[in-house]
Amino acid sequence: LTRTSALLLVGTSSPGQTSRTEVSIQADRFFINDRPTYEGRSYRGMKIEGLLMNSRMVQGIFDDLNPQTRDRWKYPDTGKWDPDRNTREFVAAMPEWRRHGLLSFTINLQGGSPEGYSKEQPWHNSAFDGDGGLRSAYLLRLSRILDRADELGMAPIVGCFYFGQDQRLKDDAALKNAVSNAANWLLDKGFRNILLEISNECDNKGYDHAILRPDRLPELLQLAKSVQRGGRRLLVGASFNGGRIPHPAVAAASDFLLLHGNGVTDPERIAEMVRQARQLPTDRSMPILLNEDDHFDFEKPVNNMLKALEGYASWGHFDPGKGDYSDGYQCPPVNWGINTERKRAFFSLLKEVTGA
């Protein structure tokens, strides 16, 4: 991509607010403020420059609007759930993530399973109402996080929909309204540092609405891309189930390719997924980004993270935890610090890889 075309892929500032951090794409590399990420960096002969190392932190704005399940997420010291505390502690932890080389994290407007993996999801966690309107309390929490990311030079992945919560919206019209509202809000706020993930694991059978699945998802990708300010728009994509390769139509409508490593126990499969994704029929090269992988082995010479890097794909840590405020990054109440052996192992390797 040329310099001009790359900048057409990002949001613009609104009057009175200037974004410090701007993310763009040139071919298969990410740039922040016109310079490639991790500029000049390589690790064990692998090119790191241009990648976007990330972690799944989707519950940063979590709440539960179902009074029958809300107490499941209570803090052990207070005996109650507090969504504002959750966001405050998230924001407080962000500088330390950044110091270890983390440039991105995924946060979702409908979160993720607060139990890690769930068959049923009776809780109600959605920044959208039934018609696709945006809930102001969620937006206030999201603003705090995205503003801090902008200050820290980070480029978050903001997800719209999660299976198990998409049924909170009534129909296709509501979903289109939600995408339009989310994109307009991000652009109106002046954020230039955002990647937009329309649906998390769009090929998941748990989605109630067909428009969120691969065959029709390009409709929403194109809708998000059509929302512009001064000729600028958001970078968009959608992720797929663990071990899956993006659907060609979704890939063609995306600005970057999102893979997941859940269920992939052989690191060689990660390398093969990256190779297969790179061979998808699109009219241009684009970055390949894993933004969810629940496999670790960070102390071993071969692991999923290193195999992704070997194929020049960014990698995203997913530590579900158990929801007891001492473990993981997905099950509320979450301790957002680097407070466990697993978290320390990931961030230690991340720091070594990125030269942070």
Side-chain angles (χ1 to χ4, degrees):
L1 294 176
T2 65
R3 160 75 177 148
T4 301
S5 61
L7 290 183
L8 290 175
L9 299 177
V10 296
T12 187
S13 295
S14 56
Q17 178 171 334
T18 301
S19 179
R20 302 182 186 187
T21 304
E22 180 174 35
V23 63
S24 58
I25 286 174
Q26 296 186 29
D28 59 354
R29 295 188 298 167
F30 286 102
F31 281 62
I32 288 182
N33 294 342
D34 300 329
R35 301 178 69 170
T37 59
Y38 311 115
E39 189 170 10
R41 182 67 180 172
S42 62
Y43 177 75
R44 297 181 185 175
M46 298 180 289
K47 179 181 175 182
I48 304 301
E49 178 182 286
L51 296 181
L52 198 67
M53 301 300 286
N54 63 96
S55 182
R56 182 176 172 86
M57 310 291 202
V58 292
Q59 309 288 32
I61 59 172
F62 176 83
D63 199 4
D64 188 355
L65 306 181
N66 181 356
Q68 295 181 336
T69 54
R70 188 178 177 87
D71 282 347
R72 294 188 188 187
W73 329 117
K74 61 187 179 183
Y75 286 93
D77 57 343
T78 64
K80 64 178 182 179
W81 165 245
D82 184 344
D84 292 318
R85 172 181 173 178
N86 177 57
T87 297
R88 285 195 308 272
E89 293 182 357
F90 187 108
V91 171
M94 290 169 63
E96 191 65 16
W97 305 341
R98 181 65 183 86
R99 280 192 287 270
H100 284 78
L102 196 76
L103 284 182
S104 184
F105 53 85
T106 300
I107 188 164
N108 197 296
L109 295 171
Q110 293 193 320
S113 170
E115 295 178 342
Y117 301 95
S118 307
K119 292 183 178 179
E120 296 181 356
Q121 299 190 40
W123 44 84
H124 186 167
N125 175 40
S126 180
F128 305 112
D129 63 25
D131 294 315
L134 296 170
R135 292 191 165 101
S136 59
Y138 278 83
L139 297 186
L140 286 171
R141 294 193 296 271
L142 184 60
S143 287
R144 296 187 190 112
I145 290 171
L146 299 186
D147 284 339
R148 190 66 175 122
D150 183 53
E151 294 170 359
L152 291 169
M154 302 177 79
I157 303 164
V158 176
C160 292
F161 304 113
Y162 181 75
F163 59 87
Q165 295 298 311
D166 72 296
Q167 77 277 8
R168 304 297 180 184
L169 288 91
K170 293 190 296 190
D171 51 25
D172 284 5
L175 290 160
K176 291 177 180 179
N177 194 33
V179 169
S180 179
N181 285 337
N184 275 295
W185 181 82
L186 289 165
L187 292 174
D188 285 341
K189 289 287 290 183
F191 292 117
R192 296 171 176 249
N193 60 324
I194 303 302
L195 309 177
L196 190 66
E197 178 184 16
I198 298 300
S199 56
N200 172 83
E201 297 186 349
C202 64
D203 55 339
N204 194 290
K205 295 179 180 178
Y207 277 114
D208 284 27
H209 297 288
I211 198 172
L212 294 175
R213 301 191 196 111
D215 287 344
R216 293 190 56 201
L217 187 61
E219 296 176 41
L220 295 182
L221 290 164
Q222 296 295 351
L223 173 61
K225 289 160 69 173
S226 74
V227 180
Q228 300 187 9
R229 294 293 182 280
R232 301 178 185 273
R233 65 173 178 82
L234 299 171
L235 293 155
V236 301
S239 62
F240 287 76
N241 279 333
R244 304 281 182 83
I245 308 303
H247 188 285
V250 173
S254 298
D255 295 307
F256 50 90
L257 301 179
L258 283 176
L259 310 179
H260 283 180
N262 300 349
V264 181
T265 57
D266 181 2
E268 291 297 333
R269 174 56 186 157
I270 296 293
E272 178 62 21
M273 288 168 59
V274 172
R275 285 193 293 268
Q276 290 177 336
R278 192 158 277 124
Q279 293 169 0
L280 285 168
T282 62
D283 61 356
R284 67 205 181 284
S285 61
M286 64 182 76
I288 297 174
L289 176 75
L290 280 85
N291 73 328
E292 183 177 343
D293 192 336
D294 61 356
H295 292 83
F296 316 111
D297 293 333
F298 299 117
E299 74 288 352
K300 295 183 179 179
V302 178
N303 56 50
N304 285 14
M305 175 176 168
L306 292 177
K307 277 296 177 181
L309 298 181
E310 188 179 286
Y312 196 58
S314 306
W315 191 81
H317 177 51
F318 172 38
D319 184 355
K322 301 174 182 177
D324 58 4
Y325 198 62
S326 65
D327 190 24
Y329 282 131
Q330 178 149 313
C331 300
V334 177
N335 184 325
W336 296 108
I338 305 175
N339 65 304
T340 67
E341 183 177 347
R342 179 183 290 169
K343 293 176 183 179
R344 286 189 288 270
F346 164 64
F347 278 103
S348 176
L349 180 56
L350 176 68
K351 189 174 184 179
E352 182 180 339
V353 164
T354 62

